[in-house]
Amino acid sequence: MSKTLINISEYKKRRWGENGTPPTNQSIRNMILRGEIPAEKIGRDWYINWSIIEKQTGNNLVDRVLRG
């Protein structure tokens, strides 16, 4: 499975759109640390795995099992 890694600002654009009201960058980082958003830390920056986000079902348990 190929990975599509995007930065937090791109994630906010794709998830909430240009005129949406996304959470702050710190809130998104906290969601990453809690395991709610699949991401990798490269250097000092977090990159969200968009290919996993696209395949999520909406059921937290199923999504965590599929994520591995």
Side-chain angles (χ1 to χ4, degrees), residues 6-67:
I6 58 173
N7 61 19
I8 290 176
S9 61
E10 180 64 24
Y11 172 71
K12 288 166 49 172
K13 286 180 191 172
R14 289 185 187 189
R15 180 83 164 89
W16 287 276
E18 293 292 327
N19 297 323
T21 307
T24 63
N25 289 351
Q26 184 61 48
S27 295
I28 293 175
R29 282 191 293 271
N30 288 339
M31 287 187 261
I32 290 169
L33 293 174
R34 287 193 302 262
E36 297 172 15
I37 300 174
E40 296 179 20
K41 188 170 188 177
I42 301 174
R44 292 179 31 187
D45 298 325
W46 284 99
Y47 292 92
I48 296 162
N49 192 334
W50 185 250
S51 56
I52 291 177
I53 297 283
E54 288 181 314
K55 294 178 182 173
Q56 288 182 335
T57 63
N59 184 323
N60 289 337
L61 178 60
V62 173
D63 291 338
R64 287 181 189 232
V65 170
L66 291 175
R67 202 178 320 159

